[in-house]
């Protein structure tokens, strides 16, 4: 009898193991079918398959279901509360991507009450697992010093880890810390140039701009105006307003390029259209002198007035000087034209130098 009981116990245990194996295979099949549907952009089917696996505890399916809700790729539309629900389940199973995105939502207070302390803990765990996005975000937290105490050395540590994984923002910020020598970070322009170059080659306009200035000033590299122009042009073509302004200056002065006041005007205008107020001052000067464009004192007054409104150094004096050559009525018309131009170009609201 005892032997018979042992026999049935063995059968029961075997059935349990087989059932668990079947359940595991079922979840994995549903998850893979969900991925295939997602690749085909069949979001409803993907949601259905991921839910089957997620409800059975499949961590990656929970993460993917969170993403579908996060991105609004479900029939009910974007739902941060549901996204947080699934991210939390996946994060509890140590899925770094879920931890990282959940941390972002906790910082923003979307779908869940803001909790910076918990966000930091999740980011740290994901960063330690090697997720470059989390490493970069953790670097940003240490650099900004808003959620946690500012610590440039810790910022550098995490930025460098992400930079080694080819994250362009992390490469740029690593360059910034070495160039600026902030906190306990030893200033090293050569390293800064190396990291800026790697980020710039990935299309990071801010890095291309800063690298250009290292070449102009000879920090960490030999002074090379032609090389500086190459990187300035890259940044300018990518829409970096400060780079557009500085490239215009090079064309105006003929440094690193053949002097071309018409090109200078075009680049000043592109910068001005992005709200770079110093470019407004330069456009006023070109219109005043008739360089790169037709001389037009009313246009000059218009640009000087915009620059003066935003406290560009010297703009008030040039405005007064040109104003003495115009009637009060012409001045009034120029100011109205300037205000109208600004209203028609909301993207041209002034921005800080980058």
């Amino acid at each position: 009898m005892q032997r018979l009981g042992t026999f049935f116990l063995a059968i029961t245990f075997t059935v349990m193991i087989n059932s668990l194996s079947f359940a595991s295979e079922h979840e994995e099949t549903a998850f893979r079918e969900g991925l295939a549907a997602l690749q085909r952009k069949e979001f409803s089917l993907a949601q259905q398959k991921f839910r089957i696996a997620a409800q059975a505890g499949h961590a990656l399916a929970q993460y993917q279901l969170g993403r579908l809700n996060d991105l609004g790729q479900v029939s009910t539309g974007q739902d941060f509360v549901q996204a947080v629900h699934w991210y939390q389940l996946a994060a509890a199973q140590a899925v770094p991507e879920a931890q990282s995105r959940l941390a972002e939502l906790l910082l923003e207070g979307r779908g869940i009450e803001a909790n910076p302390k918990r966000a930091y803990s999740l980011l740290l765990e994901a960063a330690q697992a090697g997720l470059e996005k989390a490493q970069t975000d953790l670097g940003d937290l240490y650099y900004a010093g808003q959620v946690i105490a500012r610590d440039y050395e810790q910022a550098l540590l995490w930025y460098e880890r992400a930079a080694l994984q080819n994250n362009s923002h992390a490469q740029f910020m690593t360059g910034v810390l070495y160039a600026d020598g902030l906190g306990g970070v030893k200033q090293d322009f050569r390293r800064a140039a190396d990291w800026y170059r790697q980020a710039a080659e990935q299309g990071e306009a801010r890095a291309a701009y800063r690298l250009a200035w290292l070449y102009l000033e000879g920090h960490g590299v030999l002074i090379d105006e032609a090389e500086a122009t190459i990187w300035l042009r890259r940044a300018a073509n990518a829409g970096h307003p400060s780079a557009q302004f500085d490239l215009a200056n090079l064309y105006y002065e003929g440094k690193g390029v053949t002097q071309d006041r018409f090109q200078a005007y075009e680049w000043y205008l592109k910068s001005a259209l992005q709200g770079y107020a110093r470019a407004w001052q330069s456009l006023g000067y070109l219109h005043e002198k008739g360089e790169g464009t037709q001389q037009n004192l009313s246009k000059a007054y218009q640009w000087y007035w915009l620059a003066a409104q935003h406290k560009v150094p010297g703009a008030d004096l040039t405005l007064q000087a040109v104003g003495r050559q115009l009637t009060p009525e012409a001045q009034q018309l120029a100011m109205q034209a300037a205000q109208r131009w600004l209203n028609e170009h909301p993207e041209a609201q002034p921005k800080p130098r980058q």
Side-chain angles (χ1 to χ4, degrees):
M1 189 72 179
Q2 185 179 359
R3 190 179 302 173
L4 188 61
T6 305
F7 172 72
F8 280 117
L9 183 62
I11 291 176
T12 304
F13 184 72
T14 301
V15 170
M16 287 174 61
I17 293 296
N18 288 337
S19 297
L20 287 171
S21 176
F22 174 77
S24 179
E25 288 177 12
H26 182 62
E27 295 159 22
E28 188 61 31
T29 298
F31 173 66
R32 292 186 182 280
E33 288 174 348
L35 287 179
L38 186 61
Q39 193 170 20
R40 298 191 302 269
K41 298 190 186 313
E42 296 176 8
F43 300 122
S44 293
L45 181 59
Q47 181 185 13
Q48 177 188 339
K49 295 296 183 179
F50 285 145
R51 185 177 291 278
I52 291 170
Q55 287 176 334
H58 194 293
L60 294 180
Q62 291 166 346
Y63 168 67
Q64 290 294 346
L65 200 51
R67 275 184 60 78
L68 286 176
N69 282 280
D70 198 351
L71 299 174
Q73 294 171 335
V74 291
S75 57
T76 52
Q78 192 173 48
D79 188 335
F80 289 119
V81 173
Q82 275 296 301
V84 165
H85 168 73
W86 292 110
Y87 284 147
Q88 288 192 109
L89 292 174
Q93 297 196 66
V95 176
E97 292 81 1
Q99 293 168 331
S100 177
R101 180 55 182 151
L102 180 57
E104 287 182 305
L105 295 173
L106 282 163
L107 287 171
E108 297 164 1
R110 279 203 273 181
I112 190 171
E113 187 177 349
N115 189 333
K117 186 175 180 181
R118 187 178 172 212
Y120 168 77
S121 297
L122 285 164
L123 273 182
L124 181 60
E125 193 172 339
Q128 288 172 335
L131 186 68
E132 51 90 12
K133 173 70 166 63
Q135 292 169 343
T136 303
D137 289 346
L138 195 55
D140 286 342
L141 291 187
Y142 275 115
Y143 185 86
Q146 294 175 342
V147 172
I148 52 177
R150 179 175 283 127
D151 188 328
Y152 293 122
E153 289 180 281
Q154 279 293 307
L156 179 62
L157 183 151
W158 290 109
Y159 280 142
E160 279 197 298
R161 290 189 185 183
L164 289 169
Q165 295 193 65
N166 223 29
N167 183 292
S168 60
H169 172 69
Q171 291 169 338
F172 168 68
M173 291 304 299
T174 301
V176 168
L177 284 165
Y178 276 125
D180 295 349
L182 299 170
V185 179
K186 184 179 179 181
Q187 192 172 53
D188 189 330
F189 285 115
R190 184 188 60 78
R191 283 188 176 183
D194 287 343
W195 284 115
Y196 284 154
R197 183 175 286 102
Q198 290 186 54
E201 285 171 350
Q202 291 199 72
E204 175 57 74
R206 296 171 302 168
Y209 177 68
R210 282 200 169 221
L211 181 58
W213 271 100
L214 293 184
Y215 276 110
L216 286 172
E217 297 176 339
H219 292 312
V221 292
L222 295 175
I223 289 177
D224 188 333
E225 290 178 349
E227 188 71 11
T229 303
I230 290 171
W231 293 108
L232 267 184
R233 191 182 303 280
R234 279 203 192 187
N237 283 330
H240 193 291
S242 301
Q244 292 168 339
F245 177 79
D246 291 341
L247 184 60
N249 285 339
L250 293 184
Y251 271 115
Y252 184 85
E253 298 167 6
K255 289 184 177 180
V257 293
T258 302
Q259 189 177 57
D260 188 333
R261 300 286 167 80
F262 293 98
Q263 277 289 312
Y265 182 89
E266 290 301 318
W267 283 110
Y268 282 137
L269 184 58
K270 288 180 180 181
S271 182
L273 283 165
Q274 293 200 73
Y276 195 65
R278 292 173 62 196
W280 298 347
Q281 171 84 337
S282 297
L283 286 170
Y285 181 83
L286 293 182
H287 276 291
E288 180 186 359
K289 303 300 180 184
E291 296 179 348
T293 188
Q294 288 186 337
Q295 186 180 42
N296 186 324
L297 293 182
S298 291
K299 280 278 189 184
Y301 192 89
Q302 174 183 330
W303 289 114
Y304 283 147
W305 182 82
L306 283 171
Q309 295 306 298
H310 293 90
K311 313 299 181 186
V312 176
D316 52 347
L317 295 177
T318 51
L319 179 67
Q320 293 171 20
V322 170
R324 285 193 286 269
Q325 302 175 64
L326 297 172
T327 64
E329 292 77 11
Q331 291 178 38
Q332 188 64 31
L333 287 172
M335 285 189 287
Q336 290 171 357
Q339 189 59 61
R340 190 163 54 250
W341 179 88
L342 199 56
N343 293 339
E344 291 169 357
H345 297 85
E347 71 281 6
Q349 291 296 329
K351 302 172 183 65
R353 187 178 178 87
Q354 293 176 292

